[in-house]
């Protein structure tokens, strides 16, 4: 980052340009962009913490996103209370799986990108516009993804145009895919999605939707060692975000705790979780 | 080879200052004032799209008068600087002082360089603190001078007259409604003839320290403004009931508070700036391409 020694605003700041903070950084301070670093050769994935499972599901008034709290480094639990679900702006939420350090940096950049646009243009981006900016951010990280430092986000938000929640998934090369109803990413995602398939109903209330999503995280933790289950001893519960027309809200820990307690209580009777009807 | 005319540096600077001052005085005023829960910005601005007041960062806002293209460029530079600092350090490390300094250096350098036209702008950088005592308002002029303001600041148009009016009625710890009422009245007292401004001619925003969000900046919509103004209208107004019932309708300029306003206007009429604005001329370029007056 270069600030003019005289204290005067550098020429680049006063040059008319686009409304993207990422583009501005690319021209003025490329070293601040996450994807622009030179790496040693080889697979680096075992040497840095990785975040794991994120689940999102839409309901009548919006969308719910939840993530477990574990970060792993090979067979080691690197962190047990990591947060992987963040507000992207007032009406959207982003969850991250993959290389944790890079992912958190990307979320920070993504948040600034959306806020920067909003301040310069005086209006917010459409939900698809936001999803595309995230796509560009992930694409810039392709070289690092090839060395094992992939970041795979899940993006969800309330779309004012359709007045409902929407979910977007990504691949490490920046591909962006709108998802119907629910989706999950990360190492435990297959198990979470399997569970959610049986539990999901389109007409659920917010509380029911959160319950279904936390159930699916429990199932992911049940079968995937890299996904952390609810830590009842330390009272560490999944981060749950609810995005509706009223904006992004993180569900308070005591409310999530109540839902977790009822789920864990029921699992004492039936460890595999609720029974879905056969037909 | 022709020898250029000698112009003394004093004369050169005076000419440049006159040029900038004249440009700024042609526009309409903007006011920033501290109220109990934050800082209020009120600007006379008939364009709903071209703003004179804008958000810079969490606790910081920017207000400007003068040439739109020039202060818009400064605003964008400020947002870039703030976002970049916040991204590379932390959100708490973005301060109004640093931004005001950067603006001062930039304005000063442009003013004193021979090659560039001085910017015809005056700007305010405000930062809301945890309490009124910690609020900061910096006022910057076209030549890069910087002043730390307490209470209120007025710039652009016939700033002195408007400022006198605010000074007479301003009290510390004023409520939002009171501050808004005062600012709107003050904007109307910018010439010998008292004008009554309607909500669609005014741009209002606040830095509200009581907001739970990290970003304290908030625009106040035309509807909210009309509601607050109609509620805070003093009962002593010798006006017909229609004024109370239809606050968003333009009312007769002379009738409101004309009794107590008249003396203050007489007093400041002598030092009226060069070009008092004519009414009913739109400020926004799109509305009238012939009118190139600054905002």
């Amino acid at each position: 980052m270069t600030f003019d020694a005289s204290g005067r605003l550098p020429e680049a700041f006063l040059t008319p340009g686009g409304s993207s903070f990422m583009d501005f950084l690319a021209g003025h301070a490329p070293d601040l962009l996450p994807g622009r670093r030179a790496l040693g050769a080889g697979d680096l994935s075992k040497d840095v913490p990785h975040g794991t499972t994120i689940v999102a599901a839409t309901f009548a008034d919006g969308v719910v996103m939840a993530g477990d709290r574990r970060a792993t480094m090979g067979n080691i639990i690197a962190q047990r209370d990591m947060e992987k679900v963040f507000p992207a702006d007032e009406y959207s939420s982003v969850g991250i799986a993959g290389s944790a350090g890079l992912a958190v940096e990307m979320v920070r950049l993504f948040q600034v990108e959306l806020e920067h646009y909003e301040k310069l243009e005086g209006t917010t981006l459409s939900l698809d516009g936001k999803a595309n900016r995230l796509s560009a951010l992930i694409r810039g990280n392709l070289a690092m993804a090839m060395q094992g430092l992939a970041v795979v986000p899940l993006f969800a938000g309330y779309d004012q145009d359709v007045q409902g929640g929407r979910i977007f998934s990504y691949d490490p090369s920046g591909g962006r895919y709108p998802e119907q109803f629910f989706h999950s990413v990360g190492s435990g995602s297959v198990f979470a999605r399997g569970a959610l398939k049986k539990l999901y109903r389109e007409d659920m209330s917010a509380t029911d939707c959160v319950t279904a999503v936390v159930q699916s995280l429990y199932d992911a933790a049940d079968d995937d060692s890299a996904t952390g289950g609810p830590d009842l001893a330390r009272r560490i519960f999944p981060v749950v975000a609810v995005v509706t027309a009223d904006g992004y809200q993180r569900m308070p820990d005591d409310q999530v705790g109540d839902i977790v307690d009822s789920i864990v209580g029921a699992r004492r009777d039936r460890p595999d979780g609720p029974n879905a009807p056969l037909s | 080879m022709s020898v250029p005319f000698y112009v003394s540096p004093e004369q050169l600077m005076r000419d440049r200052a006159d040029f900038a001052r004249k440009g700024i005085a042609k526009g309409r005023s903007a006011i920033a004032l501290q109220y109990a829960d934050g800082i209020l910005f009120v600007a006379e601005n008939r364009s709903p799209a071209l703003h004179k007041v804008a958000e810079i960062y969490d606790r910081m806002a920017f207000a400007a008068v003068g040439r739109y293209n020039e202060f818009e460029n400064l605003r964008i530079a400020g947002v870039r600087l703030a976002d970049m600092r916040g991204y590379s350090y932390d959100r708490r490390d973005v301060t109004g002082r640093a931004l005001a300094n950067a603006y001062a250096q930039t304005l000063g350098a442009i003013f004193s360089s021979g090659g560039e036209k001085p910017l015809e702008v005056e700007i305010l950088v405000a930062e809301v603190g945890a309490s009124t005592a910690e609020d900061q308002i910096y006022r910057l002029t076209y030549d890069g001078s910087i002043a730390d303001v307490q209470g209120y600041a007025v710039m652009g148009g016939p700033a002195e007259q408007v400022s006198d009016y605010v000074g007479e009625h301003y009290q510390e710890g004023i409520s939002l409604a009171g501050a808004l009422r005062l600012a709107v009245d003050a904007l109307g007292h910018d010439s010998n003839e008292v004008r009554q401004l309607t909500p669609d001619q005014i741009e209002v925003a606040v830095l509200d320290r009581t907001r739970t969000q990290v970003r304290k900046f908030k625009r106040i919509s035309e509807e909210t403004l009309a509601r607050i103004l109609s509620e805070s209208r003093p009962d002593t107004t010798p006006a017909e009931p229609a004024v109370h019932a239809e606050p968003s309708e333009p009312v007769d300029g002379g009738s409101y508070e004309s009794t107590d306003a008249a003396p203050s206007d007489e007093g400041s009429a002598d030092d009226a700036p060069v070009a008092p604005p004519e009414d009913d001329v739109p400020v926004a370029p799109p509305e009238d391409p012939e009118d190139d007056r600054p905002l």
Side-chain angles (χ1 to χ4, degrees):
Chain A
M1 186 174 45
T2 49
F3 286 121
D4 199 302
S6 70
R8 186 179 170 170
L9 286 161
E11 203 47 48
F13 285 68
L14 291 159
T15 310
S19 304
S20 165
F21 184 67
M22 275 153 56
D23 293 353
F24 177 66
L25 281 190
H28 185 60
D31 52 311
L32 285 178
L33 286 175
R36 296 283 183 94
R37 278 156 215 159
L39 292 177
D43 184 1
L44 305 167
S45 60
K46 292 284 175 282
D47 305 323
V48 294
H50 277 248
T52 44
T53 313
I54 307 290
V55 189
T58 57
F59 66 103
D61 301 326
V63 60
V64 168
M65 183 181 278
D68 76 307
R69 303 292 288 268
R70 182 170 291 178
T72 57
M73 207 158 64
N75 66 313
I76 303 291
I77 293 175
Q79 207 178 345
R80 57 177 103 256
D81 61 351
M82 192 194 169
E83 302 205 351
K84 294 178 265 183
V85 173
F86 305 89
D89 70 353
E90 215 174 319
Y91 289 99
S92 61
S93 154
V94 58
I96 40 139
S99 178
L102 267 179
V104 170
E105 191 181 353
M106 280 190 193
V107 167
R108 253 162 62 78
L109 182 55
F110 184 51
Q111 288 168 331
V112 179
E113 172 80 8
L114 298 186
E115 188 188 321
H116 191 76
Y117 181 94
E118 196 181 320
K119 287 191 287 199
L120 289 197
E121 300 285 323
T123 175
T124 53
L125 275 168
S126 65
L127 194 68
D128 295 274
K130 293 175 200 172
N132 282 337
R133 288 320 292 164
L134 185 55
S135 190
L137 189 52
I138 300 302
R139 202 176 304 123
N141 192 49
L142 186 58
M144 288 172 126
M146 301 312 283
Q147 285 193 268
L149 301 184
V151 173
V152 184
L154 189 61
F155 179 66
Y158 183 83
D159 191 335
Q160 258 117 342
D161 295 333
V162 302
Q163 310 219 325
R166 291 174 67 198
I167 301 170
F168 296 89
S169 71
Y170 294 83
D171 67 33
S173 66
R176 181 208 74 143
Y177 314 97
E179 299 290 343
Q180 287 282 314
F181 307 126
F182 57 85
H183 197 73
S184 62
V185 295
S187 62
S189 60
V190 275
F191 307 111
R193 214 174 311 158
L196 212 46
K197 251 184 209 172
K198 303 297 171 219
L199 296 174
Y200 184 80
R201 315 275 183 273
E202 278 172 60
D203 55 353
M204 282 189 292
S205 68
T207 317
D208 287 352
C209 193
V210 172
T211 309
V213 161
V214 175
Q215 285 277 17
S216 74
L217 280 178
Y218 191 106
D219 283 318
D222 210 17
D223 290 310
D224 170 38
S225 62
T227 304
D231 190 336
L232 294 176
R234 296 189 183 84
R235 304 299 287 172
I236 298 173
F237 306 123
V239 175
V240 179
V242 182
V243 189
T244 62
D246 297 331
Y248 177 100
Q249 259 203 315
R250 178 170 170 179
M251 191 178 246
D253 261 357
D254 51 335
Q255 278 183 43
V256 181
D258 290 345
I259 292 173
V260 165
D261 285 338
S262 74
I263 289 174
V264 173
R267 295 248 177 179
R268 289 211 179 93
D269 300 328
R270 204 190 128 69
D272 292 338
N275 250 337
L278 265 184
S279 60
Chain B
M1 202 177 105
S2 65
V3 181
F5 285 114
Y6 173 74
V7 182
S8 74
E10 290 88 353
Q11 186 61 43
L12 187 69
M13 286 304 146
R14 207 174 310 129
D15 287 351
R16 292 171 76 85
D18 281 348
F19 168 78
R21 240 191 325 255
K22 268 184 204 159
I24 295 161
K26 271 187 274 179
R28 294 195 163 90
S29 309
I31 304 177
L33 52 106
Q34 284 178 277
Y35 68 100
D37 293 327
I39 302 170
L40 167 75
F41 302 89
V42 181
E44 184 176 357
N45 184 358
R46 295 177 188 211
S47 164
L50 306 174
H51 296 299
K52 293 165 93 170
V53 182
E55 173 184 16
I56 295 279
Y57 210 65
D58 293 352
R59 307 183 141 265
M60 283 154 54
F62 170 97
V65 292
R67 288 220 170 268
Y68 180 78
N69 64 323
E70 292 176 356
F71 69 67
E72 174 69 0
N73 207 14
L74 287 173
R75 179 185 75 88
I76 289 174
V79 171
R80 284 174 174 165
L81 181 74
D83 277 346
M84 187 133 138
R85 280 185 79 104
Y87 179 63
S88 40
Y89 304 137
D90 184 74
R91 294 194 83 93
R92 281 169 303 172
D93 300 317
V94 182
T95 61
R97 203 183 60 81
L99 181 66
N101 269 332
Y103 277 145
Q105 296 297 341
T106 308
L107 286 165
I110 292 174
F111 181 76
S112 50
S113 85
E116 290 170 276
K117 166 188 103 57
L119 298 183
E120 294 165 78
V121 295
E122 230 176 284
I123 57 182
L124 283 178
V125 173
E127 183 179 12
V128 69
S131 68
T132 314
E134 289 165 58
D135 288 347
Q136 290 168 35
I137 303 177
Y138 299 98
R139 180 184 172 162
L140 295 123
T141 51
Y142 51 86
D143 59 355
S145 329
I146 178 167
D148 190 347
V149 183
Q150 286 296 320
Y152 63 91
V154 182
M155 54 183 188
E160 250 174 70
Q161 267 168 291
V162 177
S163 181
D164 286 347
Y165 185 89
V166 181
E168 274 170 43
H169 299 83
Y170 179 75
Q171 291 160 334
E172 229 175 272
I174 194 170
S175 70
L176 175 59
L180 198 49
R181 180 79 250 169
L182 167 59
V184 173
D185 286 348
L187 287 175
H189 284 78
D190 60 351
S191 61
N192 293 337
E193 205 171 309
V194 176
R195 298 180 296 143
Q196 180 68 45
L197 295 169
T198 53
D200 62 325
Q201 300 168 331
I202 305 168
E203 179 184 351
V204 182
V206 288
L207 278 171
D208 180 355
R209 71 176 117 258
T210 61
R211 252 169 92 85
T212 47
Q213 290 94 325
V214 195
R215 292 162 69 182
K216 308 293 180 193
F217 183 84
K218 189 176 169 234
R219 289 191 188 283
I220 293 186
S221 68
E222 216 176 292
E223 296 78 49
T224 317
L225 177 61
R227 186 171 50 73
I228 296 177
L229 286 183
S230 68
E231 282 166 4
S232 67
R233 180 147 300 178
D235 292 332
T236 50
T237 315
E240 50 273 63
V243 178
H244 291 268
E246 300 286 344
S248 57
E249 290 280 310
V251 288
D252 199 16
S255 69
Y256 172 70
E257 275 201 357
S258 54
T259 42
D260 79 24
S264 72
D265 271 347
E266 301 296 359
S268 54
D270 295 335
D271 22 84
V274 269
E278 295 155 30
D279 225 356
D280 299 320
V281 184
V283 284
E287 289 177 50
D288 180 6
E290 295 299 302
D291 180 16
D292 64 341
R293 290 166 53 192
L295 282 175

